[in-house]
Amino acid sequence: MTVQLVVVRAFGPHARGDVIADKEIIAALLAGEHAHDVVRVSVKEG
């Protein structure tokens, strides 16, 4: 399973409902001020 983020509160270029799958962007968001604007979801690969 992989982890993705779903935006729950819009910020910057991201609208509510956007899915973020890029690992580098995920790491930066979770370490920054917008960590509370997203939720983690597990996605089955394949």
Side-chain angles (χ1 to χ4, degrees), residues 15-35:
R16 185 174 185 218
D18 284 354
V19 175
I20 301 167
D22 183 278
K23 291 180 183 182
E24 290 180 17
I25 295 173
I26 290 172
L29 287 174
L30 292 178
E33 64 183 280
H34 294 292

Side-chain angles (χ1 to χ4, degrees), residues 1-7 11 14 18-43:
M1 292 198 140
T2 60
V3 173
Q4 295 182 349
L5 301 178
V6 177
V7 178
F11 63 93
H14 304 287
D18 284 354
V19 175
I20 301 167
D22 183 278
K23 291 180 183 182
E24 290 180 17
I25 295 173
I26 290 172
L29 287 174
L30 292 178
E33 64 183 280
H34 294 292
H36 63 279
D37 296 325
V38 296
V39 293
R40 294 183 207 196
V41 294
S42 294
V43 179

